Amino acid sequence: MDSEKLIHKITEKKALKDSKELLDYVSESGENTKEYIRYKTLWAMLQTGNEMDEETINHGYKAVKRNVKGRKSSLYINVVKYAAIVVFALLGGYFIHFADFNNEIAMNEIFGPKGNRTSVVLPDGSKVWLSNGTKLVYPESFVGDFRNVQLEGEGFFEVTHDKDHPFIVNVGQHRIKVLGTKFAVVAYPDDDKVKAELVSGKIQFDIHIGGTEDNYKSFMVNPMHSLVYDKTSGKMYHSTIPDGFYDYWQNGVYSFKDERFDLLATKIARIYNVEIVFGDEELKTRTFTGTLSVDDNIYTLMEAFKIASGEPFEYTFESGTIYIDK
């Protein structure tokens, strides 16, 4: 079902409840569910409670089609005002409950802003820890053959075993399928890599290779190993999980060995809600070994990197940005 047909199905005047065709489409994948929520919420925002005439319907259809992309922050504000949802703070993050316009589907969304971590227990008892700048979308209750969730960012999952209902983490066009296990996923939309890190159990990493919607190439990940998909080159990389990996999720301590400064800077920026700008490309390639804690003071942390660096560098703070240069 293309976007235009989906919008027509949602906005048609005769539809007091969503059609079976629409509900079947929504249940097919996490991406379909996400698209439905986006359109449905915007359509609900346009309603005033009065009977809709033809002009109102046409105006609403055009508005949904025009505004469905972008304007994320204003969408959250307007949804609170016009749609039947609940929003509240949860352990440093934000929880949004989408009560569907026709009471057919209810979705929850949790967002952990930069500088905060949060956790959630899913309807099946599975536990998820979310890192900084991460969004998780999941249904109020799991129905159908699969337990679908949508992740943008970084999360650690302890999935409740249910062999008859595989658990699927949708990350953009790709997905990770599990039965019951402990694993982490790193899939920020603006990163050029997607990573799956398995602690125990079994997971299948499905890479969408184009063509039809269900055209995937599957890879198995072994316990205490990670699999990285490079979105730019299309290549896969296997590696072992470093010592102390589990500490980051349980205790907020991140261990690293011979890790490039630019990769560390990306993690530091998310953990401490800062932007890091390098004034020299050579600085990005310097490597460091050590640990950092989410409770560390950012000034103390930068001093530690400065001292540990083989060649000195200088850094300055300005309006939430750290400038690093020789």
Side-chain angles (χ1 to χ4, degrees):
M1 184 184 300
D2 59 29
S3 296
E4 196 152 314
K5 184 175 181 181
L6 176 60
I7 295 171
H8 273 303
K9 285 290 182 183
I10 290 173
T11 60
E12 60 185 355
K13 185 178 180 181
K14 65 181 181 181
L16 296 178
K17 290 188 176 181
D18 290 332
S19 66
K20 184 179 184 301
E21 180 185 6
L22 180 57
L23 295 177
D24 288 344
Y25 171 79
V26 171
S27 65
E28 282 177 4
S29 70
E31 192 63 32
N32 290 1
T33 302
K34 183 178 178 182
E35 183 183 29
Y36 168 86
I37 293 169
R38 195 162 58 232
Y39 288 139
K40 196 74 171 180
T41 303
L42 281 166
W43 177 240
M45 286 163 52
L46 295 168
Q47 312 310 310
T48 61
N50 299 320
E51 185 176 349
M52 293 179 290
D53 55 21
E54 206 65 32
E55 182 179 352
T56 302
I57 292 172
N58 290 333
H59 173 75
Y61 170 81
K62 292 176 182 177
V64 170
K65 187 176 181 181
R66 182 175 62 249
N67 293 315
V68 72
K69 293 183 178 180
R71 298 177 62 190
K72 190 172 184 179
S73 296
S74 62
L75 169 61
Y76 284 177
I77 294 171
N78 286 318
V79 163
V80 173
K81 186 176 180 181
Y82 296 110
I85 71 166
V86 177
V87 181
F88 57 87
L90 177 67
L91 298 177
Y94 298 100
F95 176 90
I96 301 179
H97 174 76
F98 291 84
D100 177 71
F101 191 56
N102 288 321
N103 296 317
E104 292 287 353
I105 292 178
M107 300 296 294
N108 298 321
E109 177 179 304
I110 289 184
F111 178 71
K114 290 182 179 179
N116 290 281
R117 296 195 307 156
T118 188
S119 62
V120 61
V121 178
L122 302 181
D124 64 341
S126 298
K127 300 176 182 178
V128 188
W129 288 262
L130 303 177
S131 190
N132 312 270
T134 296
K135 181 175 73 174
L136 178 73
V137 179
Y138 63 95
E140 189 176 52
S141 60
F142 290 114
V143 295
D145 296 331
F146 300 99
R147 294 173 286 167
N148 273 294
V149 301
Q150 185 85 24
L151 179 77
E152 291 183 4
E154 185 175 3
F156 184 86
F157 294 78
E158 287 189 2
V159 176
T160 301
H161 182 76
D162 183 350
K163 65 183 180 68
D164 296 323
H165 301 89
F167 189 95
I168 297 178
V169 182
N170 295 277
V171 287
Q173 292 182 307
H174 316 296
R175 67 189 184 190
I176 295 167
K177 186 184 296 184
V178 307
L179 292 178
T181 187
K182 296 180 181 180
F183 66 100
V185 179
V186 183
Y188 289 96
D190 53 349
D191 284 358
D192 59 4
K193 293 179 175 63
V194 178
K195 181 191 292 185
E197 300 170 297
L198 179 61
V199 174
S200 63
K202 182 187 294 185
I203 62 175
Q204 176 180 303
F205 197 162
D206 293 340
I207 301 299
H208 188 257
I209 56 176
T212 61
E213 185 176 329
D214 59 351
N215 190 19
Y216 294 97
K217 186 173 182 179
S218 299
F219 301 84
M220 301 305 298
V221 185
N222 296 320
M224 296 308 294
H225 283 75
S226 67
L227 186 61
V228 179
Y229 172 65
D230 190 313
K231 293 186 284 187
T232 303
S233 67
K235 295 182 178 180
M236 303 290 293
Y237 302 93
H238 292 263
S239 64
T240 57
I241 294 176
D243 293 338
F245 164 80
Y246 201 65
D247 287 340
Y248 175 66
W249 295 105
Q250 298 302 305
N251 306 315
V253 177
Y254 178 69
S255 300
F256 50 93
K257 183 178 181 181
D258 297 327
E259 189 159 341
R260 283 173 52 113
F261 204 4
D262 56 349
L263 298 179
L264 284 168
T266 298
K267 182 168 287 291
I268 291 169
R270 287 168 178 158
I271 291 175
Y272 301 101
N273 193 22
V274 295
E275 182 180 357
I276 297 179
V277 177
F278 288 94
D280 190 288
E281 289 296 311
E282 184 274 331
L283 287 169
K284 296 181 178 180
T285 65
R286 295 186 184 182
T287 59
F288 295 87
T289 297
T291 62
L292 63 86
S293 169
V294 296
D295 297 323
D296 285 340
N297 180 284
I298 185 62
Y299 297 94
T300 304
L301 184 65
M302 291 308 301
E303 279 296 316
F305 278 107
K306 182 178 179 179
I307 294 171
S309 180
E311 297 179 33
F313 65 81
E314 299 296 328
Y315 64 91
T316 56
F317 287 84
E318 184 179 325
S319 301
T321 301
I322 302 174
Y323 296 92
I324 303 175
D325 211 336
K326 290 184 176 179

